[in-house]
Amino acid sequence: MFRFEDSQFLYLLLLIPLFAVIRYLSYRSQKKHLRKFGDPRLLKELMPDVSRWRPSVKFWLMEGALALLILMLARPQMGTKISHEKRVGIETIICLDISNSMRAEDVTPSRLDRAKMMVENLVDHFTDDKIGLIVFAGDAFVQLPITSDYVSAKMFLSNIDPSMMATQGTDIARAVDMASHSFTQEEGIGKAIIVITDGEDHEGGAIEAAEEVKKKGLHVYMLGIGSTQGAPIPIPGTGDYMTDNTGQTVMSTLNEDMCKQIAAAGAGAYIHVENNSNAQNLLDQELDKLSKKETQTTIYSDYDEQFQAFGILALLLLIVEICLLESKNPLMKRVSLFGSHKKIDVVAMLLMFVSMSLSAQTDRQYVRQGNKFYRDGDFPNAEVAYRKALEKNDRNPQAIYNLGNSLMAQSKDSAAIAEYEKSAKLETNELRKSKAYHNMGYICQRHRMFGEAIEAYKQSLRLNPHDNETRYNLELCKRQQKQQQQNQDQKNNQDNKDKNKQDQQKQDQQKQQQDKQKQDKQKQEPKMSKENAEQLLNAAMQQEKQTQERMKKAQQQPQRRNIQKNW
């Protein structure tokens, strides 16, 4: 792939036809003046050493050299490492959930940030594999088509945010279906779909979609982000939390059962991301089971300057132009020609310039180039320059440290921490090594990972005890960690109180429901009317009266004695 970095200089090529027109007009004027002296044929015989075509050739040689110099100013570049590389690997599509529920902070710093860090780890572990990136919420779209360009994958990842999705919700089925159509048409190669989500599937159909892709020979791996206890969903910039239609705070929990069902239906595995390293190891073990195939990939990793070739051609044209004499007798003019020190000096300067340009840039030169980009705020190009320096010398601690700075400036924090760790291992100067640990602590502190930040700041102070800024950040981290623990304790106490309150409310509701059922039952029993009650009472009184009369008659009758005789 060929391009001009400073293409605005190409407008100077308009000087070439302009000089050609001036040359033509000058030639006509010269011939016109010669005719005033006499017949052109007679003048030609009087000037036998004058050549008609040599001045034109010298002019066009100068025109060509000028054109090449202008092209050099435009900085011609060619894609470096342009090659059709053969790699043995698999194809992987990463589906990243960016719904609002991923803003929950039940994991540090948040579900979405933890998911991004996980994706960066995945990209860093891929070597010969092809990857693609799909983001989804209520809808899904391809953020990065399947490629072997891992640098582009990280650049696309840094711009992902839930606000980029117009339709909120969580439609895992749509993401899985889109991923199944995003692979290449190659057969015999393992193809994996990695879904990073909290498992809240609002649309349904995810299990059926996983079963469909399983029939195509694909595998679905679910990475669960979050906790089963759940957490509220913060609203950015307000400090409040999302509520439902009744005004209750929405609690988002990790649906592990759903993730396990989808992974089982997709012939994959479910992994709960509690620690990125452990999750990465488990995922690597699963992906190693897939079949690998040799694939051919075209790589355009970066651009290298190609002005040296144009400089050589320009130099050759100038040498030819100098050696080509205007007269037909070079033996008579050679002394006077090369006695001109100006042309020789020009040639010598060009030779020196080209020889310096042809010499390969060292890692230090690339570091200086990256530093210039970094000072100008051009962090992506600074990253490219530092990576070029590491290609020259992969054990240059300054290049590694500066690469970490450029990554941190682009919010590629997990990759920046990895570079700082490498720099700290290779650096021999304790002051520079302390800076690496300081920056690691700063990144962890920014993500509210106070435990890791405290350890990094302590290590930095061991190397440089006089760094007041690090000491201040360490104390601030300790306070923030203590405050975080207190907030967590208060939150747990409040959760317990809320739970007890909910239990009490539930018991009260059950008691109220029982009382209501009892009252309803009493209401359903038939009531006796006043007339029926009076009739029953009169009947009872009449029966009592009759009984008393029978007893009275029985008492008035003479008593009989039964005499028992002994025979």
Side-chain angles (χ1 to χ4, degrees), residues 135-153:
V135 294
F136 71 95
D139 198 358
F141 64 88
V142 178
Q143 180 77 354
L144 176 68
I146 191 163
T147 180
S148 299
D149 187 359
Y150 303 140
V151 177
S152 296

Side-chain angles (χ1 to χ4, degrees), residues 87 91 130 183-191 293-297:
R87 300 183 173 188
E91 295 182 2
K130 291 184 178 181
F183 291 98
T184 64
Q185 300 300 319
E186 292 190 44
E187 297 181 357
I189 185 173
K191 299 179 180 180
K293 181 183 177 183
E294 186 179 89
T295 59
Q296 186 170 330
T297 306

Side-chain angles (χ1 to χ4, degrees), residues 27-28 30-48 50 52:
Y27 179 72
R28 289 189 59 184
Q30 184 181 10
K31 290 184 65 176
K32 185 177 180 181
H33 286 97
L34 286 175
R35 288 193 184 98
K36 294 181 179 180
F37 290 98
D39 188 3
R41 288 180 296 179
L42 181 59
L43 292 175
K44 182 179 180 181
E45 294 178 359
L46 293 175
M47 297 183 296
V50 175
R52 296 182 54 187

Side-chain angles (χ1 to χ4, degrees), residues 366-378 382 385-386:
Y366 280 123
V367 169
R368 288 194 292 269
Q369 183 181 0
N371 293 343
K372 182 179 182 299
F373 284 128
Y374 189 91
R375 288 192 296 269
D376 295 337
D378 192 354
Y386 294 138

